Amino acid sequence: MTDQAQTAPAAKKLFIKTYGCQMNVYDSQRMAEAMGAEGYVLTEDQAQADMVLLNTCHIREKAAEKLYSDLGRLRSLKVAKPDMKIGVAGCVAQAEGAEITRRMPQVDLVVGPQSYHRLPAMARGEGPSIDTDFPAEDKFDHLPERMATRRAPAAFLTVQEGCDKFCAFCVVPYTRGAEVSRPVDRILSEARNLVARGVRELTLLGQNVNGWHGVGPDGREWGFGRLIRAIAEIDGLDRIRYTTSHPNDMADDLIAAHGDVPQLMPYLHLPVQSGSDRILKAMNRKHTAEQYLRLIDRIRAARPDILMTSDFIVGFPGETDQDHAATLRLVEQVGFGTAFSFKYSPRPGTTAYDRPEVEAAVADARLHELQALLGRQQQAVQQDMVGRTLGVLFEKPGRETGQMIGKSDYLHPVFVDAPQAQPGDLVQVRIVESRSNSLRGELLT
Ligand code: SAH
Ligand code: SF4
Ligand code: F3S
């Protein structure tokens, strides 16, 4: 640390673009903090940057291609400004490594999601310019303590990384590596630190967040539900959320926590991918549609008002009209608050990669049909909120004067006229209108 402070150059500007999931958002913050210790300050203006860092996603082909189109555009900037460094981080960096610099020689650094604690040294020109190791050391032990880069009342905290589940379509086990849970004491100290800096809502992150496990200060093996209970004891922390969870890791204690931990918000993202047992099996999801439905019954028994969301893939290899109908049936049965749905994208290295694809037009039509149904459910759920009084945590001012934007307990964005309010205020709001992707509310006085 001290050496870094001594050698820190005058303020240089860092521009970071983040693609993909919330874990990448978290990683970008940590990389910004690590580079901050090197004298870099963040800029929103790419043209001003001494270093441009692209934190990438490999989940679908389109996501990965975006990197190359962005790099293409950066080429002319680099010609005009040859000292500017270009770094590629994240899941494409992990998956493609040296292929990136081969295709795009203007790239100076490539750093994978498990080795970004080495980014500062790489930026100084020490060590390799491509680092996609899964190092034995824990990157979090080599990163500076969390800093308040921007005052925000809601923050992410990674508690678990990687995945051992190997769903047939998914690159995450390859890009993020094996499942690793961070130790309890590190998680609790990071959480306390964030709360001490004004954070009132924490979203615990992991690719299989509810698979988290560790040894508690009591010497016992803790599961994720126990961790949530410990985090809920932090004074000043009002809300806890977590994402993304796997249906097979919804332990009894975690389900019970939804009933008896008041800080745990009534919202759960639980990807199911398909409603067809045949397709679930081909996807290697290791549960049936019926098991998923019964699981939701148990979660709703613990917390009746919980809002469920999910992820779906349509057009997985071998998916028939009957399989698709089973997915629509499952959606009808559950009633989701919202959900993400994607057309299957074959990913190199995954087991489904070489399987014969569903015709594109058929997959498009199915996606359209599923999204229409999910859209109707979303509107119905939002309409149901009208007239209710909900907690809203204000995050930032809205576009109109005196307006604030916050999230409801159910994670809906809510616009409220509140000229006296500050980000970080947790207020009671009466919902008066449902818009396409948000709600409008009035302060209860
Ligand atoms: N860990 C989470 C999901 C991580 S990826 C889970 O187990 O559900 C986020 C979502 O991207 C997945 O839920 C899936 O719906 C989608 N996805 C992943 N790979 C995909 C692929 N090859 N094609 C289309 N969608 C994909
Ligand atoms: Fe990917 Fe499946 Fe792991 Fe989720 S559980 S990250 S979909 S392999
Ligand atoms: Fe994408 Fe990597 Fe997240 S592939 S979805 S950025 S874990």
Side-chain angles (χ1 to χ4, degrees):
M1 276 298 130
T2 26
D3 309 342
Q4 284 181 6
Q6 277 159 12
T7 55
K12 289 188 176 179
K13 295 200 174 81
L14 173 66
F15 174 88
I16 305 187
K17 176 166 177 185
T18 307
Y19 316 63
C21 63
Q22 285 113 325
M23 194 163 294
N24 262 13
V25 174
Y26 175 86
D27 289 342
S28 289
Q29 286 168 0
R30 301 292 312 246
M31 288 191 276
E33 291 163 6
M35 295 302 281
E38 293 286 304
Y40 280 84
V41 294
L42 283 179
T43 173
E44 306 269 306
D45 179 3
Q46 191 167 276
Q48 294 293 315
D50 297 289
M51 179 165 181
V52 171
L53 190 61
L54 305 173
N55 192 14
T56 59
C57 173
H58 200 243
I59 202 83
R60 284 167 291 274
E61 192 180 0
K62 264 203 197 123
E65 273 173 2
K66 219 164 174 315
L67 165 68
Y68 289 102
S69 56
D70 284 350
L71 283 175
R73 273 194 291 275
L74 273 172
R75 196 182 294 142
S76 47
L77 192 58
K78 177 119 178 174
V79 169
K81 223 179 144 183
D83 287 344
M84 184 183 81
K85 283 200 163 66
I86 300 179
V88 177
C91 290
V92 182
Q94 190 61 45
E96 299 186 2
E99 173 68 10
I100 297 171
T101 42
R102 197 192 57 76
R103 269 180 75 176
M104 295 283 177
Q106 73 271 30
V107 172
D108 300 282
L109 306 168
V110 177
V111 64
Q114 302 310 344
S115 30
Y116 66 72
H117 54 301
R118 298 175 180 165
L119 178 66
M122 294 170 81
R124 267 182 256 130
E126 295 162 15
S129 56
I130 298 177
D131 192 340
T132 52
D133 271 5
F134 287 120
E137 81 254 22
D138 180 354
K139 65 172 179 264
F140 295 115
D141 290 342
H142 299 264
L143 289 166
E145 275 221 350
R146 298 304 306 278
M147 287 182 273
T149 38
R150 222 183 299 155
R151 283 199 78 75
F156 293 139
L157 199 176
T158 293
V159 302
Q160 180 278 338
E161 274 197 275
C163 182
D164 297 337
K165 293 209 161 49
F166 292 92
C167 298
F169 50 81
C170 183
V171 295
V172 170
Y174 310 97
T175 62
R176 293 274 169 172
E179 277 186 26
V180 178
S181 295
R182 290 182 69 194
V184 178
D185 57 337
R186 310 293 159 77
I187 295 169
L188 291 178
S189 73
E190 187 170 331
R192 286 193 198 102
N193 195 356
L194 288 166
V195 173
R197 288 161 202 276
V199 166
R200 301 188 71 176
E201 171 176 318
L202 274 180
T203 301
L204 309 177
L205 298 182
Q207 267 92 23
N208 266 294
V209 71
N210 55 339
W212 178 93
H213 58 94
V215 179
D218 54 4
R220 293 180 189 221
E221 181 66 21
W222 283 15
F224 188 57
R226 182 68 189 84
L227 179 69
I228 286 178
R229 289 169 198 276
I231 292 175
E233 283 169 16
I234 300 175
D235 250 356
L237 182 62
D238 297 304
R239 290 172 152 193
I240 302 172
R241 305 180 186 277
Y242 62 93
T243 199
T244 298
S245 26
H246 193 285
N248 291 354
D249 289 328
M250 287 302 298
D252 292 346
D253 180 47
L254 176 57
I255 295 175
H258 278 283
D260 51 37
V261 177
Q263 295 91 332
L264 189 54
M265 290 290 102
Y267 177 99
L268 178 60
H269 182 64
L270 196 61
V272 62
Q273 316 298 353
S274 168
S276 152
D277 289 344
R278 229 172 51 81
I279 294 299
L280 287 168
K281 193 163 192 326
M283 287 176 163
N284 194 31
R285 290 290 291 185
K286 300 202 172 87
H287 63 76
T288 62
E290 186 62 23
Q291 283 165 337
Y292 182 82
L293 292 169
R294 295 295 75 82
L295 174 60
I296 290 191
D297 290 343
R298 287 168 53 222
I299 297 165
R300 284 184 168 154
R303 180 79 203 226
D305 65 329
I306 199 161
L307 193 131
M308 296 301 307
T309 75
S310 198
D311 290 344
F312 293 90
I313 295 178
V314 302
F316 187 77
E319 187 187 71
T320 62
D321 285 341
Q322 285 78 1
D323 295 319
H324 176 61
T327 299
L328 297 177
R329 227 165 24 241
L330 178 137
V331 172
E332 294 278 12
Q333 280 169 288
V334 175
F336 290 100
T338 176
F340 297 103
S341 45
F342 310 100
K343 191 161 86 165
Y344 170 71
S345 168
R347 305 305 290 131
T350 60
T351 51
Y353 183 57
D354 291 325
R355 296 184 201 167
E357 278 177 58
V358 168
E359 204 184 311
V362 172
D364 285 334
R366 287 180 189 161
L367 185 63
H368 193 258
E369 192 180 12
L370 174 61
Q371 287 181 340
L373 172 59
L374 289 166
R376 288 196 295 278
Q377 291 193 337
Q378 180 182 335
Q379 291 315 315
V381 166
Q382 286 187 197
Q383 204 54 52
D384 251 18
M385 299 284 163
V386 177
R388 289 181 60 183
T389 297
L390 305 176
V392 172
L393 177 64
F394 286 144
E395 293 186 4
K396 57 183 182 200
R399 229 179 267 161
E400 290 164 28
T401 331
Q403 189 185 55
M404 292 294 286
I405 308 175
K407 296 275 168 53
S408 76
D409 302 341
Y410 303 96
L411 206 57
H412 288 116
V414 186
F415 291 80
V416 184
D417 257 345
Q420 312 296 329
Q422 297 292 324
D425 291 351
L426 182 56
V427 294
Q428 292 294 303
V429 165
R430 203 180 120 83
I431 304 303
V432 295
E433 186 191 345
S434 165
R435 295 171 173 178
S436 54
N437 281 306
S438 63
L439 302 172
R440 198 167 63 77
E442 288 171 357
L443 275 186
L444 284 192
T445 42

